Amino acid sequence: MRVAVAVGVSTPPVATMRSSCTRRIVAVSYRFVSMHMAAAPLSRTLSTESVAARLTSAGLLRTKGLIGANWTDARDGKTMPVYNPSTGEVIADVPFMGSKDTEDAISSAYDAFPAWSKLTATERSQLLRKWYDLLMANKEEIGQLITLEQGKPLKEAIGEVNYGASFIEYFAEEAKRIYGDIIPPTLNDRRILVLKQPIGVIAAITPWNFPLAMITRKVGPALACGCTAVIKPSELTPFTALAAVELALQAGIPPVRFSSSYHGNLMQFNTSFVCITQVRKITFTGSTAVGKKLMAGAAGTVKKVSLELGGNAPCIIFDDADLDVAVKGTLGSKFRNSGQTCVCANRILVQDGIYDKFAAAFSKAVQILQVGDGFSEGASQGPLINDAAIEKGADVLLGGKRHSLGRTFYEPTVLGNISSDMIVSREEVFGPVAPLMRFKTEEEAISIANDTNAGLAAYIFTTNVQRSWRVTEALEYGLVGVNEGVISTEVAPFGGVKQSGLGREGSKYGMDEYLEMKYVCLGDMNRK
């Protein structure tokens, strides 16, 4: 596998992608007294230094980028610090790589492509399976690494390892199912067939909120198809990417299949990725603004592009919903990863008849969420990745301010009396803020839900089967959860419509993003 992972960062990490982009935490003027949010006990909180030392001794805290077969520093020797968002402490420095490092990584992946693509599907499958086994064998350590650099609670981080590894397992199996086709000819001396072949070198640009899963969801199918990869992880969470690559090498995937882990100026990397013809495909998860720039840049060399961009997910609670199911599902959708996912419920639309009951039950459930360092026992809400802006908006039913723990810890917040013209309902929050909006009719809910340029995920809660079908078909979104708030899985296609992106990841459909289709016509087939 040629993974070129270059590591380094220059611009402020909040400026360029959703993976490194400031999100508004919409607090508001207080009309209700905010209720105290519990802090998780800190007695078992581990120090940055002790966790880093343990991971270093396990060989999983890599502090250099991998280009070809070499773990390397940046050409010019520049480095950048990576911080623990819970404490602000520096975990370690990584190379601050630039355009020349990127070009080296791309060349390395390009040179490795012929050999990797010529392996049999079974051989690639077996290597990917070994990588999956090693990820699972080291899931506690990888989970600790995710918590250390990203901040999410350890239990949730280990859950991400299970989720991320599932893509490697799934695509190890799908590697053996890349089928072509035979088409009945229109002339009796012809035979027509279709081949599917790997596209070539792919560039994967991934965010900080799922530092393992967003890599495996892209690199897994790419390697399974026979492509080689250059990975640009977020500068905020590079260590998880480097650890994943280390385990891939231990699995026997040749190092020249990756050019892995670039940490540097995102726009420098983007320029290299879009301009160098050796890169044939770009896959990106991040902000819509950066995705548009990548798409425009890729036009110059006509590269294939898949984009998973911003969301503005509606969560619609109808009068006939089961209240307990709706509260549980909305809680899972909204507050997973402290609200920092692209599919988090961003607008919670509640029908008049159930609004008061839902608001009370939901606020009660949110109130018991424990905020704390990800290594603290009982913590379910970690810090935000970095500081967010505080703006004015609507009524605060719960929370609405910085947590007593300080730094980037925020109280899980519930807002009431939200209108569709407020910023919180127009823009992706990417934080632990749940805005409640009233609606009267099914038609009104659909209209409000679709009134956005985004179209990634949506959720509805109803016990009416006919309504679930009507509303699902009317919603302009790539993913719809019905009576369920956590719907991502490796076996289903993930992706949006409108300005939420292009293409699909995961499932058998995710393989097609890394394949070219070739039509072959055999003539003179009647000769004896």
Side-chain angles (χ1 to χ4, degrees):
M1 163 170 75
R2 193 166 247 166
V3 179
V5 184
V7 187
V9 181
S10 63
T11 54
V14 296
T16 50
M17 8 178 346
R18 185 170 71 238
S19 62
S20 50
C21 190
T22 298
R23 291 289 155 194
R24 291 182 173 88
I25 296 301
V26 185
V28 298
S29 53
Y30 288 80
R31 297 187 196 169
F32 294 85
V33 177
S34 112
M35 303 166 80
H36 176 69
M37 304 303 300
L42 300 179
S43 58
R44 295 192 182 181
T45 298
L46 303 175
S47 72
T48 298
E49 185 178 357
S50 65
V51 177
R54 182 184 308 150
L55 293 168
T56 299
S57 66
L60 293 176
L61 186 61
R62 285 282 186 175
T63 57
K64 294 186 177 184
L66 180 69
I67 296 181
N70 301 311
W71 291 102
T72 182
D73 293 318
R75 278 195 180 197
D76 59 9
K78 290 183 179 180
T79 62
M80 57 161 287
V82 179
Y83 297 93
N84 178 340
S86 289
T87 66
E89 298 172 288
V90 174
I91 302 168
D93 291 344
V94 292
F96 183 95
M97 292 185 169
S99 57
K100 291 295 184 183
D101 301 291
T102 309
E103 291 168 10
D104 289 345
I106 292 170
S107 295
S108 175
Y110 182 79
D111 291 343
F113 173 69
W116 180 252
S117 62
K118 285 182 172 58
L119 290 181
T120 67
T122 298
E123 289 172 321
R124 292 197 298 270
S125 175
Q126 289 170 345
L127 290 170
L128 286 169
R129 178 69 200 196
K130 290 177 182 177
W131 188 16
Y132 163 78
D133 290 338
L134 283 171
L135 286 169
M136 295 303 294
N138 291 273
K139 68 178 181 181
E140 296 285 340
E141 291 80 6
I142 301 295
Q144 291 173 16
L145 187 52
I146 292 172
T147 296
L148 185 65
E149 66 176 349
Q150 197 274 339
K152 67 179 62 174
L154 182 57
K155 181 179 179 181
E156 191 170 341
I158 293 172
E160 182 186 338
V161 180
N162 291 329
Y163 175 57
S166 72
F167 287 102
I168 303 301
E169 179 186 37
Y170 182 84
F171 288 114
E173 297 162 353
E174 285 298 299
K176 296 179 286 186
R177 292 190 277 272
I178 301 174
Y179 302 130
D181 202 0
I182 295 178
I183 299 172
T186 56
L187 299 173
N188 64 14
D189 68 338
R190 307 275 178 92
R191 298 296 181 269
I192 298 174
L193 55 109
V194 175
L195 305 178
K196 290 184 179 180
Q197 297 178 307
I199 195 168
V201 177
I202 71 106
I205 307 172
T206 60
W208 52 261
N209 55 346
F210 289 92
L212 177 66
M214 293 303 96
I215 288 174
T216 56
R217 195 164 76 180
K218 298 174 186 298
V219 174
L223 294 176
C225 289
C227 299
T228 52
V230 179
I231 305 171
K232 164 62 179 79
S234 169
E235 62 276 8
L236 301 177
T237 55
F239 294 123
T240 302
L242 293 169
V245 171
E246 168 61 27
L247 293 177
L249 303 185
Q250 291 181 25
I253 297 174
V256 290
R257 304 302 174 261
F258 288 102
S259 274
S260 170
S261 231
Y262 285 92
H263 317 84
N265 186 315
L266 174 63
M267 300 318 295
Q268 270 190 0
F269 291 126
N270 288 353
T271 300
S272 298
F273 290 160
V274 300
C275 293
I276 295 177
T277 57
Q278 291 171 326
V279 176
R280 294 307 311 143
K281 151 89 178 185
I282 296 174
T283 172
F284 170 73
T285 295
S287 72
T288 300
V290 174
K292 288 178 178 180
K293 291 179 180 179
L294 282 170
M295 189 174 178
T301 50
V302 195
K303 298 186 195 304
K304 191 171 185 177
V305 176
S306 58
L307 306 170
E308 193 266 283
L309 307 177
N312 188 1
C315 180
I316 306 172
I317 318 296
F318 287 101
D319 284 346
D320 60 12
D322 181 300
L323 184 61
D324 292 338
V325 171
V327 168
K328 179 182 177 183
T330 306
L331 195 72
S333 172
K334 176 66 258 184
F335 290 102
R336 185 165 63 117
N337 201 16
S338 298
Q340 299 174 113
T341 86
C342 54
V343 294
C344 276
N346 204 62
R347 299 167 292 156
I348 302 172
L349 283 59
V350 189
Q351 200 162 13
D352 269 339
I354 200 173
Y355 182 93
D356 292 335
K357 288 182 179 179
F358 178 85
F362 184 66
S363 296
K364 183 178 179 180
V366 173
Q367 187 181 1
I368 64 175
L369 296 176
Q370 290 190 348
V371 179
D373 183 290
F375 291 110
S376 300
E377 185 177 358
S380 62
Q381 299 289 291
L384 301 184
I385 192 69
N386 45 40
D387 284 316
I390 304 292
E391 295 195 356
K392 290 187 176 181
D395 296 344
V396 175
L397 304 183
L398 184 71
K401 64 180 185 295
R402 192 183 296 270
H403 195 276
S404 59
L405 291 173
R407 294 196 50 76
T408 58
F409 290 94
Y410 284 84
E411 294 185 351
T413 296
V414 181
L415 305 178
N417 292 329
I418 295 296
S419 62
S420 58
D421 59 346
M422 291 181 178
I423 290 177
V424 70
S425 65
R426 307 302 300 177
E427 298 184 7
E428 189 177 27
V429 174
F430 234 64
V433 177
L436 306 186
M437 305 173 65
R438 291 180 184 266
F439 72 90
K440 296 184 183 299
T441 67
E442 180 180 307
E443 292 74 20
E444 181 188 7
I446 293 169
S447 176
I448 293 171
N450 289 339
D451 184 22
T452 174
N453 289 328
L456 186 55
Y459 308 91
I460 64 173
F461 290 87
T462 177
T463 55
N464 184 311
V465 174
Q466 290 79 12
R467 167 176 279 162
S468 70
W469 274 105
R470 283 195 309 271
V471 177
T472 295
E473 292 173 349
L475 289 171
E476 297 169 354
Y477 291 84
L479 316 168
V480 180
V482 180
N483 296 323
E484 180 55 63
V486 181
I487 61 176
S488 298
T489 171
E490 74 277 12
V491 302
F494 186 102
V497 300
K498 297 194 286 190
Q499 293 186 32
S500 283
L502 299 170
R504 292 296 182 269
E505 295 184 331
S507 81
K508 65 179 182 180
Y509 303 105
M511 295 287 281
D512 291 336
E513 300 293 329
Y514 302 93
L515 295 167
E516 295 279 25
M517 189 178 295
K518 180 180 288 183
Y519 151 53
V520 180
C521 178
L522 303 178
D524 192 29
M525 295 299 290
N526 288 338
R527 182 184 302 185
K528 296 183 180 179

